[in-house]
Amino acid sequence: MLLFAQRIEELIVDSGETVRALAEIGKIDRTTLQRVKSGERLPSKKFFSGLCKALRMSTAEEEELKNLLEMETIGQRNYYNRKAIVGLIETIAELTEHTIPFSKEIGLKNGAVVKSSLIDGMEIVSGYTNVLRMVESAIDCEIFASSTPQIRRSFPMTGMPSMITFFSK
């Protein structure tokens, strides 16, 4: 059974309401609710909103359910890859906003080459390993070759989940 459907079933049982009563409270289709509960179907945004209202969910419970829905929609592996990439980019953004002293004894990883001048442009990289290599290379270039590091990024949240577009200035 899907994690999302399993959690929905638990929330319905915890609410003490029947599927019919919850459908009436949330103004949602009873048959669709039954299919979501059994894992046969995933809800639309409008249905999800009505379901959360009917179940009287807290903000934390709603966020947990949104995460489970996203995981079911794009796949568990893609979900965790996205979380890792977003976390890495947030860390990069934090590091580039502050001047952080570091030891000159730090060297580049595995003989990586630092570009003497960065060219404005866009590079599209796909594949988990290639994305990580590109991000490591960009970080090394920013730290060792730039007097004022700036890293800009953009990646689609829909369409092609394994592709990231990374801007470096």
Side-chain angles (χ1 to χ4, degrees):
M1 181 180 268
L2 304 172
L3 292 174
F4 179 78
Q6 189 176 18
R7 184 66 181 133
I8 291 291
E9 189 170 355
E10 290 170 4
L11 290 168
I12 289 173
V13 169
D14 290 348
S15 74
E17 299 285 348
T18 64
V19 170
R20 178 180 294 251
L22 288 172
E24 289 174 11
I25 293 168
K27 297 180 174 72
I28 53 180
D29 183 62
R30 179 190 56 82
T31 307
T32 305
L33 178 54
Q34 191 62 44
R35 288 184 177 154
V36 167
K37 177 185 169 195
S38 67
E40 294 175 38
R41 142 172 220 183
L42 293 174
S44 66
K45 287 184 181 183
K46 183 179 177 183
F47 185 91
F48 184 84
S49 176
L51 179 61
C52 291
K53 176 185 165 192
L55 291 170
R56 297 173 202 92
M57 297 174 65
S58 69
T59 307
E61 288 174 323
E62 191 173 334
E63 189 63 31
E64 174 196 6
L65 204 56
K66 277 182 188 177
N67 290 337
L68 288 173
L69 178 58
E70 183 181 356
M71 192 181 302
E72 296 295 340
T73 303
I74 64 172
Q76 196 169 12
R77 182 176 179 186
N78 286 339
Y79 175 81
Y80 286 115
N81 284 344
R82 279 186 182 177
K83 291 290 184 193
I85 290 169
V86 168
L88 182 59
I89 291 172
E90 287 172 349
T91 301
I92 292 168
E94 287 177 22
L95 291 174
T96 58
E97 288 175 7
H98 306 286
T99 304
I100 299 173
F102 64 93
S103 171
K104 294 291 182 184
E105 296 172 10
I106 298 175
L108 294 175
K109 295 179 184 172
N110 301 328
V113 178
V114 175
K115 296 177 187 175
S116 58
S117 65
L118 295 173
I119 299 170
D120 286 339
M122 179 177 75
E123 182 180 355
I124 298 175
V125 179
S126 62
Y128 183 76
T129 305
N130 292 334
V131 169
L132 288 178
R133 281 190 195 135
M134 185 269 312
V135 170
E136 283 181 353
S137 173
I139 292 170
D140 287 343
C141 287
E142 289 296 317
I143 291 175
F144 294 102
S146 177
S147 59
T148 57
Q150 286 186 344
I151 297 177
R152 300 205 184 340
R153 79 280 183 211
S154 167
F155 54 95
M157 293 305 282
T158 60
M160 294 178 259
S162 65
M163 187 183 304
I164 182 169
T165 308
F166 192 90
F167 296 92
S168 179
K169 271 186 141 181

